Amino acid sequence: MENSESALAIDVPIAGMTCAACATRVEKQLNKLPGVDAAVNFAAERAAIRYDAATATAAQLIDAIRKTGFDVPPRTVELSLGGMTCANCAARIEKQLNKLPGVEAAVNFAAEKAHVRYVPGLAGPELLLDTVRKTGYTASVSTQDTHAEEKARKLAVYRAEVRRFWIAAALTLPLVGQMIFMAASGTTHGEPLPRWLQLLLATPVQFWIGWRFYVGGFNALRGGSGNMDVLVALGTTMAWVFSAIVTLAGLGHQHVYFEASATVITLVLLGKILEARAKAKTSAAIEALVKLQPQTARVERDGKLVEVPVATMIPGDVFVVRAGEAVAVDGEVVEGASSVTEAMLTGESLPVAKAAGDKVFAATVNGEGLLRCRATGVGSHTLLAGIIRMVEEAQGSKAPVQRLVDRVSAIFVPVVTAIALVAFVAWWWLGGDFSAALVNAVAVLVIACPCALGLATPTAIMVGTGQGARAGILIRNAQALELAERIDVLAVDKTGTLTEGKPEVTDVIAFGEVGADEVLRLAASLEQGATHPLAQAIVAAATAKQLPLPLPQSTSTVPGRGLAGEIEGEAVMVGSPAYLADAGIGVPDQAATQLQLQRQGRSIVAVARAGRALGLIGVADPLRASSAPAVARLMRLGVEVVMLTGDNARTAAAVAEAAGIAHFEAEVLPGDKSRAVDKLKAGGRRVGMAGDGINNAPALAAADVSFAMGAGSDVAMKAADVTLMRNDLASVPDAVALSRATLTKIRQNLFWAFIYNVLGIPLAAFGFLNPVVAGAAMAMSSVSVVSNSLLLRRWRPAEE
């Protein structure tokens, strides 16, 4: 095989291997295939494979790895595209990329980006770039490091287009002036400009300035479809060719249409320039986020402060943030105290106090104090980089409503061309007027605009997701944005969602056998290893009293109910009164006290030792000040709010009443919350779920739309449809309102784009539109759609 001309080599990542035996098994299975020589590296989790293309394929190799029980994880790459002129161009690139094995691509015409998911070994960046280039467009891999380069390239193209437009305008202006003069004077003969001069003025506009339309149209037709370029090139060429033949043949009695061909090209070019300017504004949010990242940082090197580029920093570097400076990278405060404004991440303008042990994030702004921090996340691993990545992916995704537009765009150009041909034949055959037939056919071709349809959805999504990011609302994709608009019910977790998530021990009631401190000590000792907020509150209360806390042994946990173990050789149980009751341990003498605490909204933790109840601990988790107003806003938006909690019914009732929630489900175990969500979905209702992105993962996954209030945790950002950077329920109605505002803009855009074409094409076909007017209308249709989307930049989160 080594000498075979068909020998190929690929390097494939493998996920799921847990030991060297796994690597051996994969290697063995691969080497069973004919013509394959594979070496699997367990440490690197990769397979280096050489194979004979005559006897095996890359797809078979990937399939063999998966059949062995492991996976080849897909990778993603974003491509920056150039040369697209309308939505049909984007559709063609997307179609060609998706033909490649192991590739899933979504092309965003408005952003001029392709978001591609591919299986290593079956495809790679070079193959993707080569595919785009063969389709007739330019492409390059887009990363955060290439933002400035891409912006400079687009600016250069834009400036070149502006120069070409002014040249076209200068050549076209005499032709337009003549047309206006003849229309105003009512003259149909005796043109002010000699026809040879009209030919000289119109020809460079047609074939130099308009060359881009011929190139774009040729590439489209070569790819088996049509686009806006085909329509413009076909329409203007018809007008120019007819006029040139009349001029060169000396047919003075025939009218010429040089002004129509030149003016249409000039106006379409103007429309593209205005469209490009407007489209650039749709990505303003991303630009603003990128600019927030500082370029340098003051890092400690050999006991001295040295200013270094942020790109050279590594985790563990100790850096200093002076008053008023932006934090360079994610880190942890080692020394100092200050307040930091995190508005660029959370949308919250109030500064957050920072001291030793607290986290700081890149691009947040330090207040008056000096902070000495240790870097924990640098480069692409900062929270800001994650937000930029998430917003870019959301802006590149497609909303379900886009499917209709894609279907229309696929048949748009052939249908319009057919209508133009029918109009031409009908006018010439029935009316016997070749000139009128030509004019009306050209008008049909140039008024049709697939661009407005193609821009209607992505521009609104780009602006909407960008505005969300400014407000600390990170939307994963366009589908989540569309679904959020239509939720009927919002299920909310209690702890950390409605409440502060920082419970405190308020009451310790001993039953007499031991004192209150002993009840607290035993409970805290057993709870030391637990992560539940109630457990942490009990441990914190015992630590504050400096009670000795021995390590527990033989612990066992029942999620949502309690835990048991041995403390100093004796069996201890801590959990809900029902948990103790199931073990045959009751507290009947304290029922009144328990009831009183529950009515006050306290969570009750019962403590038992050696089979005897010792006391109760009351834990209060105060309701967030913003929760009740947020619930009221959701109800005004027509969204019913249902609280799900593992707490007892009386405590849940007290919290629900304070929050203004009419319906709740109590004593719901973490594993049962997803079933509770499924029950709410009965009858076809769309259900959202709001909670932290960790403890409520099954319920978040079961909901139609999940809102994770993880305060920017990685788990929340990866798990949720919508991540709320502010750990606050008030962001949920903001997200719903933003979703509705964005979908309203999309519907408005689609309505006007469809109406424009539905009305404009028949008017042109029946002879009611001059080609010049049609060209101007076509040029402005895309601009109007993008401008309407830009109105979303006025959206702001509600001020409670």
Side-chain angles (χ1 to χ4, degrees):
M1 185 193 74
E2 292 183 5
N3 297 323
S4 171
E5 292 183 1
S6 58
L8 300 173
I10 59 173
D11 190 49
V12 180
I14 301 177
M17 295 190 297
T18 57
C19 64
C22 298
T24 303
R25 191 161 81 253
V26 175
E27 191 174 287
K28 183 178 179 182
Q29 291 300 318
L30 287 170
N31 286 322
K32 282 183 180 179
L33 297 174
V36 174
D37 180 17
V40 179
N41 187 324
F42 168 60
E45 296 184 317
R46 306 188 71 82
I49 310 171
R50 286 179 58 80
Y51 67 100
D52 190 340
T55 58
T57 65
Q60 288 175 327
L61 301 175
I62 303 299
D63 190 49
I65 294 170
R66 287 174 172 163
K67 283 182 177 177
T68 313
F70 304 96
D71 193 21
V72 178
R75 292 178 178 170
T76 59
V77 66
E78 193 166 63
L79 306 181
S80 179
L81 307 175
M84 294 191 299
T85 57
C86 73
N88 287 36
C89 300
R92 191 162 67 259
I93 295 172
E94 186 172 289
K95 182 179 178 182
Q96 293 303 315
L97 287 173
N98 283 322
K99 282 182 180 179
L100 299 174
V103 171
E104 294 176 19
V107 177
N108 186 325
F109 169 53
E112 297 183 327
K113 294 284 181 72
H115 186 73
V116 187
R117 194 167 178 262
Y118 67 93
V119 177
L122 297 184
E126 284 305 317
L127 176 61
L128 300 174
L129 294 173
D130 189 51
T131 301
V132 175
R133 288 164 187 156
K134 285 180 179 177
T135 310
Y137 304 91
T138 61
S140 59
V141 175
S142 176
T143 66
Q144 288 184 40
D145 296 332
T146 63
H147 273 296
E149 182 184 325
E150 289 170 19
K151 188 175 180 182
R153 176 180 58 80
K154 288 182 179 180
L155 184 60
V157 171
Y158 173 77
R159 285 174 174 167
E161 290 288 274
V162 170
R163 285 194 297 271
R164 289 160 67 87
F165 164 73
W166 285 118
I167 294 170
L171 293 170
T172 304
L173 195 58
L175 298 172
V176 175
Q178 172 184 265
M179 182 180 68
I180 295 172
F181 170 78
M182 293 177 68
S185 63
T187 304
T188 56
H189 299 287
E191 298 161 350
L193 295 178
R195 289 190 172 179
W196 63 265
L197 180 56
Q198 294 182 50
L199 177 62
L200 287 178
L201 290 171
T203 300
V205 176
Q206 183 69 44
F207 297 106
W208 176 43
I209 304 298
W211 185 246
R212 55 173 285 172
F213 300 113
Y214 290 98
V215 173
F218 173 76
N219 288 332
L221 294 174
R222 186 180 63 177
S225 65
N227 63 359
M228 183 206 73
D229 293 329
V230 172
L231 298 177
V232 173
L234 185 59
T236 57
T237 301
M238 285 170 59
W240 184 90
V241 168
F242 173 77
S243 301
I245 291 172
V246 168
T247 300
L248 296 175
L251 302 176
H253 63 283
Q254 285 282 4
H255 187 69
V256 293
Y257 300 97
F258 289 121
E259 80 284 349
S261 64
T263 305
V264 165
I265 287 176
T266 303
L267 288 174
V268 171
L269 195 56
L270 174 62
K272 285 293 167 188
I273 290 169
L274 296 176
E275 180 188 311
R277 286 187 62 181
K279 276 169 33 179
K281 294 178 183 177
T282 63
S283 57
I286 287 287
E287 292 290 334
L289 287 171
V290 171
K291 287 178 181 176
L292 290 173
Q293 176 73 60
Q295 299 302 306
T296 61
R298 289 177 176 81
V299 180
E300 291 185 3
R301 294 275 194 267
D302 301 322
K304 296 181 180 180
L305 278 180
V306 182
E307 190 165 316
V308 302
V310 168
T312 65
M313 293 182 67
I314 60 173
D317 277 344
V318 176
F319 62 99
V320 171
V321 187
R322 299 186 299 191
E325 288 183 339
V327 179
V329 295
D330 289 0
E332 183 177 311
V333 178
V334 176
E335 186 180 344
S338 185
S339 59
V340 175
T341 302
E342 299 180 343
M344 62 289 299
L345 299 180
T346 66
E348 177 58 66
S349 58
L350 293 176
V352 179
K354 301 289 181 181
D358 290 334
K359 292 181 179 180
V360 291
F361 301 103
T364 56
V365 180
N366 187 23
E368 298 300 319
L370 180 74
L371 294 176
R372 186 167 168 264
C373 310
R374 180 175 289 106
T376 56
V378 300
S380 62
H381 299 289
T382 64
L383 179 58
L384 177 65
I387 290 173
I388 292 172
R389 211 162 33 241
M390 190 170 180
V391 174
E392 285 180 331
E393 288 176 9
Q395 291 185 342
S397 63
K398 285 190 176 183
V401 71
Q402 183 71 23
R403 296 190 193 105
L404 170 64
V405 178
D406 290 343
R407 287 198 294 270
V408 172
S409 296
I411 62 170
F412 189 88
V413 173
V415 168
V416 170
T417 306
I419 292 172
L421 181 61
V422 169
F424 178 78
V425 171
W427 277 92
W428 194 10
W429 181 48
L430 297 176
D433 187 342
F434 180 83
S435 293
L438 177 69
V439 168
N440 294 332
V442 171
V444 169
L445 291 171
V446 299
I447 197 168
C449 186
C451 298
L453 285 172
L455 291 167
T457 300
T459 52
I461 287 169
M462 288 176 71
V463 180
T465 52
Q467 288 301 104
R470 289 175 187 265
I473 302 168
L474 303 182
I475 299 164
R476 177 162 294 281
N477 52 46
Q479 183 174 0
L481 185 69
E482 185 169 331
L483 288 173
E485 180 219 22
R486 295 182 281 178
I487 63 170
D488 305 303
V489 182
L490 180 72
V492 296
D493 181 42
K494 177 177 75 71
T495 305
T497 302
L498 289 169
T499 63
E500 293 284 356
K502 298 175 183 176
E504 296 179 351
V505 171
T506 57
D507 306 90
V508 181
I509 301 166
F511 296 161
E513 185 171 321
V514 297
D517 281 358
E518 181 64 7
V519 171
L520 182 60
R521 186 185 76 87
L522 289 171
S525 298
L526 193 57
E527 297 274 25
Q528 284 180 91
T531 58
H532 193 280
L534 297 185
Q536 293 174 346
I538 291 170
V539 173
T543 303
K545 287 194 169 191
Q546 298 184 333
L547 300 176
L549 303 179
L551 291 175
Q553 295 179 333
S554 305
T555 58
S556 62
T557 303
V558 179
R561 293 178 64 80
L563 68 163
E566 285 189 8
I567 302 294
E568 298 169 334
E570 292 191 276
V572 176
M573 295 182 71
V574 177
S576 67
Y579 173 63
L580 268 63
D582 288 346
I585 304 171
V587 285
D589 295 338
Q590 303 298 321
T593 302
Q594 180 180 325
L595 181 61
Q596 181 182 0
L597 291 174
Q598 289 172 345
R599 283 175 175 167
Q600 293 172 353
R602 306 286 196 263
S603 295
I604 304 298
V605 177
V607 183
R609 183 177 62 185
R612 295 174 60 83
L614 298 182
L616 299 174
I617 299 175
V619 183
D621 187 4
L623 193 72
R624 292 182 190 275
S626 58
S627 291
V631 170
R633 275 192 65 207
L634 284 164
M635 291 172 66
R636 288 196 298 272
L637 290 169
V639 179
E640 179 187 357
V641 181
V642 177
M643 184 180 76
L644 304 179
T645 179
D647 231 326
N648 63 81
R650 293 190 184 95
T651 301
V655 174
E657 183 180 3
I661 298 174
H663 304 287
F664 65 87
E665 289 192 36
E667 300 180 21
V668 181
L669 299 178
D672 294 332
K673 285 186 179 179
S674 60
R675 283 192 285 273
V677 169
D678 288 335
K679 189 166 69 173
L680 290 171
K681 291 166 74 173
R685 295 197 298 178
R686 291 185 180 85
V687 178
M689 173 70 193
D692 62 58
I694 306 168
N695 299 333
N696 297 288
L700 290 169
D704 294 306
V705 186
S706 54
F707 301 87
M709 303 200 303
S713 74
D714 263 353
V715 175
M717 290 178 68
K718 290 174 182 175
D721 295 316
V722 181
T723 300
L724 308 174
M725 301 302 291
R726 287 170 60 187
N727 211 10
D728 191 332
L729 190 66
S731 292
V732 177
D734 285 338
V736 173
L738 175 61
S739 170
R740 293 184 179 181
T742 304
L743 267 293
T744 296
K745 285 298 173 193
I746 289 175
R747 293 188 187 101
Q748 289 172 355
N749 288 346
L750 289 175
F751 173 79
W752 288 115
F754 274 112
I755 286 295
Y756 164 83
N757 285 292
V758 167
L759 295 180
I761 293 172
L763 286 173
F766 284 106
F768 294 109
L769 285 178
N770 180 283
V772 173
V773 176
M778 190 270 270
M780 292 302 106
S781 62
S782 298
V783 179
S784 63
V785 164
V786 180
S787 299
N788 189 46
S789 294
L790 287 173
L791 293 177
L792 269 174
R793 295 171 72 183
R794 298 176 180 176
W795 182 87
R796 294 290 184 274
E799 294 292 336
E800 295 293 350

